[in-house]
Amino acid sequence: MKKIVISDIKGAIFDMDGVLLDSMPMWDHAGEMYLAGQGIQAEPDLEKVLFTMTMMKGAEYMQEHYGLELSAKEIIDGINETVRDFYANKVEPKSGVPELLRFLKRYDIPVTVATSTDRCHVEAALVRTGLMKYVDRIFTCSEVGVGKAASPKIYEMAAEFMGTPASDTFVFEDAYHAAETAQNGGFVVVGLFDESSRDRQGDLIAHCDHYFKSMDDMLCSINSDRSRLVPVLTIAGSDSSGGAGVQADLKTMQANGVFGMSAITALTAQNTTGVTAIMNVIPDVLGAQIDAVFTDIRPKAVKIGMVSVPELIDVIADRLARYNAENVVLDPVMVATSGAKLISDDAVEVMTGKLFPLAKLITPNIPETEALTGISVKSVADMENAARCIYGKYGCAVLVKGGHSINDANDMLFDGENITWFSGKRIDNPNTHGTGCTLSSAIASNLAKEYDVSDSVRMAKQYISGALAAMLDLGSGSGPLNHGFDIRSRYML
Ligand SMILES: Nc1ncnc2c1ncn2[C@@H]1O[C@H](COP(=O)(O)OP(=O)(O)OP(=O)(O)O)[C@@H](O)[C@H]1O
Ligand SMILES: Cc1ncc(CO)c(N)n1
């Protein structure tokens, strides 16, 4: 099968059940779930029996076979309630779906949903799972008046709405009969595996132009335009051991699909056990590096890390204001994971006064949040208060990182209006050197790719969790992450 080239997709039509949402198991077990709600355990063949029946016949069968003291209508209402509850409160997106939809949005590709499920369920599920913001319009078979097996009408209406010809419109389906209809209608069909139709994969493959075992596989094989790499600048210190600072930033940027550039603030001699020397660069040389970058390859985002002294902060503030730098993410680095102090006391005030107001987002960890606010952060409420306090003083959004909390690794974003939590399972890995640098660089990379702040944080959080979970173990102290954990290339072998 061919790779998908993103510029070939002019419009996208997604089936919902089994493609966007992991909802097929519910359809396969609706009767069983309903009976369970009535305190009855279904016989193993129930779903097979119901599969061939209409809703009414199925209800009558359940009434008789399981001795339910309810009318067929009441049983149907009960099953409908089970279905409603599932879509409204339980269903989850399939893996890779939010990423794909965000990616299509980044390329301004219109997205529609074509589904045989009722609109009320579709909307409830898409809103709750956060996918609705990527969908331009929903088409349902009952509203269109004909099912997918019988006619390509639903796809034609979606394509007409998007203004895209069938030959440039990609239809994503997991069911072979729908794939067949779409292909006969002249659409480009992407077949995706779903467990519920495991037995019919041969038929699906026969009726699609591209086939993937999962959305994640598809994401890895999409060819974005190789001649388009968004530039991003890091202004930070060099870490000789390669796990934090500029080295971590550039590796992260490469892994997050942007072109990394650097302006170095300081040379540190450090490894996983500690920092043995720091030499700050001369302010003029830092200024010259930033000038060299901005006057030639203007970055779409800037990450700021270790800046130890007021003179260097002045230079950065001056240049970022002069060049009207966009998407500035500031990691207020104060202390290395190994415990070494990386900023002078007098620099903190200059940083907050001059750099915070230029930042779109700052990313303090818990000790840094405490130092910036004077609030002792011991609870979720303390995190929220501290973030509001920082926003109130400096007007920049704040991501308080929970890497230093005891039980979990939940980060909290306050953007001046809303609090959003990004929950992460704590990974039992003592090697956390450079996590802060890595997270802020991933966020800056995502902002450069034009994702909004909350999507940028969400994806960066997934990235850092993957980098930690790879369990790289280098050095005798707290070691670095594997920044390239998700890169697949023949050159890596
Ligand atoms: N053991 C862990 N498991 C999962 N996520 C973690 C873990 N440790 C840190 N993180 C995550 O890593 C990111 C960086 O957070 P952290 O609080 O470690 O930053 P930091 O202290 O500034 O990092 P640095 O060690 O570079 O100074 C956050 O998203 C945090 O939730
Ligand atoms: C150069 C540098 N920047 C930041 C950190 C924080 O992790 C570090 N250890 N070294």
Side-chain angles (χ1 to χ4, degrees):
M1 294 262 166
K2 293 165 286 173
K3 283 203 162 200
I4 295 180
V5 179
I6 186 73
S7 53
D8 288 349
I9 309 178
K10 301 291 183 247
I13 305 175
F14 288 91
D15 173 47
M16 187 177 76
D17 296 295
V19 171
L20 293 180
L21 301 181
D22 194 9
S23 45
M24 291 312 289
M26 187 275 299
W27 286 115
D28 293 342
H29 299 284
E32 185 186 319
M33 281 162 69
Y34 169 71
L35 285 177
Q38 302 290 315
I40 300 169
Q41 192 176 351
E43 290 171 5
D45 68 344
L46 174 68
E47 301 304 334
K48 232 197 206 147
V49 174
L50 292 181
F51 185 72
T52 55
M53 296 181 179
T54 62
M55 202 72 175
M56 184 52 85
K57 282 258 169 294
E60 283 164 8
Y61 168 81
M62 283 162 76
Q63 187 187 34
E64 228 169 80
H65 197 80
Y66 289 94
L68 294 175
E69 286 177 4
L70 294 163
S71 69
K73 177 164 180 314
E74 283 169 329
I75 295 173
I76 292 176
D77 288 349
I79 294 175
N80 283 340
E81 174 52 26
T82 306
V83 172
R84 191 206 60 76
D85 177 56
F86 178 77
Y87 280 110
N89 303 312
K90 301 196 174 108
V91 70
E92 287 299 328
K94 289 189 80 176
S95 178
V97 165
E99 290 80 359
L100 177 66
L101 295 185
R102 268 183 229 131
F103 185 60
L104 294 175
K105 185 155 185 153
R106 181 181 155 206
Y107 278 82
D108 287 330
I109 296 166
V111 168
T112 50
V113 170
T115 174
S116 36
T117 298
D118 288 345
R119 175 172 293 275
C120 56
H121 299 322
V122 182
E123 287 182 351
L126 294 182
V127 167
R128 188 182 48 80
T129 53
L131 300 181
M132 193 64 145
K133 63 180 174 182
Y134 307 113
V135 174
D136 296 302
R137 192 147 162 194
I138 295 163
F139 293 84
T140 71
C141 291
S142 60
E143 288 168 2
V144 167
V146 58
K148 288 181 182 175
S151 155
K153 188 160 173 211
I154 194 165
Y155 305 119
E156 287 163 1
M157 285 180 69
E160 191 187 334
F161 164 77
M162 296 188 289
T164 55
S167 56
D168 294 339
T169 306
F170 282 55
V171 172
F172 299 79
E173 282 288 355
D174 63 325
Y176 77 93
H177 61 82
E180 184 175 8
T181 309
Q183 199 170 51
N184 290 339
F187 291 88
V188 184
V189 178
V190 181
L192 289 153
F193 172 82
D194 186 77
E195 187 58 47
S196 68
S197 41
R198 173 179 283 282
D199 301 348
R200 305 307 296 255
Q201 293 309 292
D203 296 317
L204 178 61
I205 291 168
H207 293 295
C208 57
D209 303 87
H210 306 271
Y211 172 80
F212 298 97
K213 292 230 169 68
S214 69
M215 204 67 109
D216 290 314
D217 275 4
M218 186 184 118
L219 280 173
C220 293
S221 105
I222 286 188
N223 246 324
S224 55
D225 185 350
R226 299 262 184 252
S227 64
R228 233 175 66 149
L229 261 189
V230 182
V232 179
L233 170 66
T234 169
I235 304 176
S238 160
D239 166 6
S240 49
S241 64
V246 159
Q247 288 80 356
D249 298 340
L250 293 176
K251 292 173 196 181
T252 301
M253 289 173 189
Q254 182 74 29
N256 283 271
V258 300
F259 182 77
M261 305 183 286
S262 63
I264 296 182
T265 56
L267 300 180
T268 73
Q270 64 172 299
N271 58 27
T272 62
T273 63
V275 180
T276 50
I278 298 180
M279 185 181 83
N280 288 311
V281 300
I282 301 162
D284 282 351
V285 176
L286 178 60
Q289 293 176 74
I290 300 173
D291 289 337
V293 170
F294 266 94
T295 55
D296 190 19
I297 308 176
R298 183 183 163 81
K300 288 270 287 181
V302 178
K303 173 250 156 92
I304 305 174
M306 170 187 171
V307 198
S308 299
V309 289
E311 299 73 30
L312 293 174
I313 294 172
D314 284 338
V315 168
I316 297 170
D318 169 69
R319 295 306 201 280
L320 294 188
R322 186 185 306 170
Y323 294 115
N324 203 9
E326 52 192 323
N327 294 322
V328 176
V329 179
L330 190 154
D331 183 14
V333 176
M334 294 184 185
V335 178
T337 311
S338 56
K341 199 166 167 205
L342 298 175
I343 191 166
S344 65
D345 291 335
D346 52 345
V348 175
E349 208 174 309
V350 186
M351 178 170 74
T352 55
K354 295 194 172 165
L355 290 184
F356 278 25
L358 296 172
K360 184 163 211 164
L361 177 71
I362 64 160
T363 61
N365 61 24
I366 287 179
E368 288 156 358
T369 305
E370 292 180 325
L372 290 168
T373 59
I375 296 173
S376 151
V377 178
K378 299 270 177 286
S379 66
V380 162
D382 295 338
M383 270 168 107
E384 294 194 7
N385 285 341
R388 285 181 195 279
C389 167
I390 293 174
Y391 185 88
K393 273 196 195 156
Y394 309 107
C396 50
V398 190
L399 181 74
V400 181
K401 299 174 291 191
H404 293 249
S405 44
I406 299 127
N407 296 323
D408 46 27
N410 298 340
D411 302 344
M412 194 209 73
L413 174 68
F414 180 60
D415 62 6
E417 278 181 22
N418 299 311
I419 298 261
T420 312
W421 280 91
F422 300 90
S423 46
K425 259 217 315 248
R426 171 157 291 274
I427 296 156
D428 191 13
N429 183 349
N431 298 309
T432 58
H433 179 82
T435 44
C437 306
T438 301
L439 183 78
S440 53
S441 295
I443 296 171
S445 303
N446 294 330
L447 289 173
K449 290 184 286 185
E450 294 179 12
Y451 293 114
D452 64 22
V453 174
S454 101
D455 279 349
S456 293
V457 171
R458 185 168 294 111
M459 290 188 284
K461 180 90 181 128
Q462 280 172 16
Y463 171 72
I464 194 142
S465 301
L468 274 164
M471 299 304 278
L472 179 66
D473 189 12
L474 293 174
S476 54
S478 178
L481 316 174
N482 182 352
H483 293 93
F485 75 97
D486 201 36
I487 300 178
R488 292 191 222 169
S489 155
R490 74 192 73 180
Y491 303 109
M492 308 262 306
L493 300 176

